[in-house]
Amino acid sequence: MKTLISSDVRLLADLIRKGGVVVFPTETVFGIGASSFNEEACKRIYKIKGRPSDNPLIAHFSSIEGIKSVCEVSEVAERLLCEFAPGPITLVLPKKNPNIFPKEMPTLAVRIPKNPVIREWIEECGSPISAPSANLSGRPSLTRMTDALRYFDGIVDGILVAEEPNLGIESTVVGLYEDPPVLLRPGSIESDQLKLFLPNLVLPNVITKSGEFIPPSPGMKYKHYSPQAHVKLLPSETFVSEFLQCGKDSKTAWIGFSFGPTVDDDKPTHKIDPIRMKLVSSNWEYSSALYAFFESCDQLGMETIYCEEPREKSGKEGLLNRLQKASEAN
Ligand code: TXA
Ligand code: MG
């Protein structure tokens, strides 16, 4: 298949109107989208990704009005949208229009991407865009145009060239279809911020019935975010001591805040190999770099990726969730 790669939103909107599938960047990660009113095109996305058919897609809108035209927007939902949208938040709302994909579900996940160019494209498409993250199912989402091209050139109808994601992890997903509201997926908008609007917000790990974990959202039961390399998540002290022991092994990769010994420590250090190591200065920078680092490590054939635990600071919630999922998966 010939893929149109362009920053011309009108050309890329034409493809969507003709039933095409288009890869596009958002402020979180890349998405792979089709018109929410074209069931056949939406189903093609599942084939391309190898995504389980019971895992519904987020519909992306250019405005709150667009969301209101297809969903019941409660007062609190509207307040959340006014505060956090456009931005990295997805709300799962009761559906008003049954014709929007996925037709069989009574709820719809909705989100308004931050980049004005992406919103302009959605506007031009004349319909919301249903899109999961643009990655193969179970693998890390993509955050660089080079990776999007490597995976999807020749596979999709178009790739919209626009600003690359900077947040680096997928949006926070909040279920507002029942009371109490549920945090379905942590992300850059954290539970403390949400609780100002939703004081009775339920966090995912407290949802248990006879000791069993019940996934509140279909996506939560599937393996996620894992590179081919084995991921090890370590507390800071262990991370540094492991690095001092194994850092020379050319099949190991490292991402964290510090690679050296403390000043009063006399252990030998290694010269840092920038290809296999990524130093970050905050949880935000860590999130932004994580998936791209995973991709690079897989391309380089790394066997183990050592990840330092996030700092006890803002930006920890979503990052820790992705690191835990990546490390549990293998
Ligand atoms: O940042 C993001 O959210 C990116 C960009 C492209 O917008 N998209 C993304 O989509 O991460 P995806 O499909 O990879 O993750 C969507 C999550 C899944 O866990 C899915 O199960 C959940 O949202 N979800 C979607 N519709 C739902 C619904 N009606 N009820 C409950 N959960 C839903
Ligand atoms: Mg995904």
Side-chain angles (χ1 to χ4, degrees), residues 28 51 55-56 58 60 92 107 109 111 132-133 170-171 185 217 219:
T28 58
R51 182 177 175 102
N55 194 1
I58 297 173
H60 296 71
V92 182
T107 57
R111 166 162 136 70
S133 48
E170 306 83 350
S171 62
R185 182 175 67 188
S217 160

Side-chain angles (χ1 to χ4, degrees), residues 24-32 46 49 51 54-60 87-93 95 102 105-111 113 131-135 141 169-173 175 177 184-185 216-222 224-225 322:
F24 61 101
T26 77
E27 78 279 23
T28 58
V29 297
F30 274 85
I32 170 169
Y46 284 74
K49 281 195 60 152
R51 182 177 175 102
D54 67 346
N55 194 1
L57 306 185
I58 297 173
H60 296 71
I89 192 155
T90 296
L91 302 182
V92 182
L93 301 174
K95 202 193 263 181
M105 283 196 78
T107 57
L108 182 70
V110 299
R111 166 162 136 70
S133 48
N135 54 306
S141 301
I169 58 169
E170 306 83 350
S171 62
T172 303
V173 183
Y177 44 83
L184 297 171
R185 182 175 67 188
S217 160
M220 286 179 69
K221 66 176 183 267
Y222 295 110
H224 261 309
Y225 321 116
R322 303 310 189 274

